[in-house]
Amino acid sequence: MSVRTESSAQHRAGFACFVGRPNAGKSTLTNALVGTKVAITSNRPQTTRHTVRGIVHRPDAQLVLVDTPGLHKPRTLLGERLNDVVRTTWAEVDVIGFCLPADQKLGPGDRFIAGELAGIKKTPKIAIVTKTDLVDSKQLAEQLLAVDRLGQELGIEWAEIIPVSAQGDQQVGLLADLLVPMLPESPPLYPEGDLTDEPEQVMVAELIREAALEGVRDELPHSIAVVVEEMLPREDRPADKPLLDIHANVYIERPSQKGIIIGPKGKRLKEVGVKSRKHIEALLGTPVYLDLHVKVAKDWQRDPKQLRKLGF
């Protein structure tokens, strides 16, 4: 009979996803764990549309983070599709992290998600109290107790309850340590250098969309979609000075929104271009020429044909 020592413990690899109501800090936490910007972060709710995966590489494990859209009560066809994506994802991952911001009392949105989580029996669940840098220790203690009670009321057995601050980088490493043992034994699922398996075009579109959302406080974030039409290396460039041409369309629902996105004398759109280009260049590691156009796709959120065309 052979006895396996701790040091020869198996490598683990698997999938985790963070859930929580919109703006609970899911994307910021993904970025903090991966150590680079992969999931779109925005202080507007409901901005993550695609399952962007961040990959955490460790000597003993590989943790693949699946970032789903926030689950919410759907009002449109798009909303319903997003919720279906969420439930499918939950059933397929190895561990679920439920993000609850420390600075906001538990509300109906949290209960709605916790109720859905209670129905998923097999997957272990960790409650993650986020944004702890925004509260004092008394408020944090109250929130941890409230989360514990919520689990008891709904019959959810939290594998762990952990406070973190992704902004202040507090306990982020510890969270990874807690998630890893819940993964199955497996060789790495992705090559060492990979940070995400989203096609580059989708990530580029998300970065443009994030920049476009930033200044438009009064308009619904849902009414912006971005499609990257093409990404091509500029042909006549020397090998040591490459340039990538990216042509993208920003779609809005109504002609009246066009002026808001473009801004006076095109100023706003120019800012969107400058800001997103910086992030895109950092992501792809190459200089980029970005060509942006704003187009109207009438009521695209309610039109199945348009939804398909825009990648939903």
Side-chain angles (χ1 to χ4, degrees):
M1 183 181 134
S2 67
V3 179
R4 206 171 61 164
T5 60
E6 264 312 292
S7 62
S8 68
Q10 276 282 307
H11 184 281
R12 292 179 180 274
F15 296 86
C17 81
F18 295 141
V19 305
R21 59 187 154 100
N23 208 12
K26 303 180 292 286
S27 296
T28 309
L29 191 55
T30 299
N31 292 337
L33 278 161
V34 176
T36 182
K37 192 181 179 80
V38 287
I40 168 177
T41 54
S42 154
N43 52 10
R44 301 284 285 172
Q46 229 12 67
T47 47
T48 310
R49 287 231 179 106
H50 298 278
T51 309
V52 176
R53 297 178 170 88
I55 303 166
V56 184
H57 299 276
R58 294 165 54 123
D60 60 333
Q62 191 179 71
L63 176 64
V64 183
L65 301 167
V66 186
D67 194 24
T68 55
L71 189 81
H72 59 294
K73 295 195 167 133
R75 287 191 299 276
T76 61
L77 182 62
L78 174 66
E80 282 171 37
R81 292 221 181 143
L82 291 177
N83 281 0
D84 291 343
V85 169
V86 176
R87 289 196 192 86
T88 312
T89 305
W90 291 4
E92 290 168 357
V93 297
D94 300 299
V95 53
I96 298 171
F98 183 22
C99 295
L100 302 121
D103 63 331
Q104 295 164 35
K105 286 222 177 326
L106 298 188
D110 300 310
R111 289 184 173 280
F112 174 65
I113 294 169
E116 294 280 328
L117 277 178
I120 294 174
K121 295 289 182 226
K122 289 193 179 126
T123 319
K125 299 158 200 73
I126 289 185
I128 306 167
V129 175
T130 58
K131 308 189 184 187
T132 56
D133 51 307
L134 302 179
V135 297
D136 58 24
S137 53
K138 179 173 175 287
Q139 210 178 332
L140 178 57
E142 282 168 6
Q143 188 72 325
L144 292 168
L145 287 168
V147 171
D148 187 41
R149 274 199 304 275
L150 178 67
Q152 286 171 15
E153 278 168 37
L154 295 170
I156 301 172
E157 199 174 315
W158 303 121
E160 305 277 353
I161 299 177
I162 176 175
V164 302
S165 162
Q167 291 289 5
D169 198 22
Q170 287 158 345
Q171 307 241 84
V172 174
L174 177 63
L175 172 62
D177 293 342
L178 294 174
L179 291 168
V180 164
M182 300 183 185
L183 307 177
E185 293 187 353
S186 157
L189 304 166
Y190 292 88
E192 177 65 37
D194 285 12
L195 293 172
T196 169
D197 76 343
E198 271 296 300
E200 283 174 344
Q201 269 173 266
V202 173
M203 292 189 67
V204 167
E206 288 286 271
L207 289 172
I208 295 169
R209 188 162 170 267
E210 179 178 341
L213 284 175
E214 221 146 273
V216 202
R217 287 285 165 264
D218 329 321
E219 286 295 323
L220 269 183
H222 271 92
S223 50
I224 298 176
V226 175
V227 175
V228 173
E229 296 296 337
E230 57 179 20
M231 287 170 52
L232 297 168
R234 182 83 56 94
E235 278 179 1
D236 49 2
R237 304 285 288 198
D240 58 341
K241 288 215 171 94
L243 182 69
L244 189 66
D245 285 317
I246 298 179
H247 301 278
N249 291 328
V250 178
Y251 287 96
I252 47 177
E253 290 195 296
R254 292 187 294 283
S256 59
Q257 297 168 335
K258 211 166 179 173
I260 297 167
I261 291 283
I262 294 172
K265 294 187 178 155
K267 191 165 166 268
R268 206 60 261 293
L269 190 62
K270 206 169 172 179
E271 280 168 14
V272 171
V274 170
K275 191 166 253 169
S276 56
R277 198 184 75 226
K278 267 216 282 282
H279 287 310
I280 293 165
E281 290 182 337
L283 172 77
L284 302 177
T286 177
V288 160
Y289 169 76
L290 185 58
D291 176 37
L292 285 182
H293 293 273
V294 179
K295 300 194 168 187
V296 179
K298 220 164 138 9
D299 291 331
W300 62 264
Q301 291 187 62
R302 290 182 169 73
D303 176 352
K305 260 213 319 272
Q306 300 255 29
L307 278 173
R308 267 201 304 282
K309 188 181 136 203
L310 297 173
F312 302 113

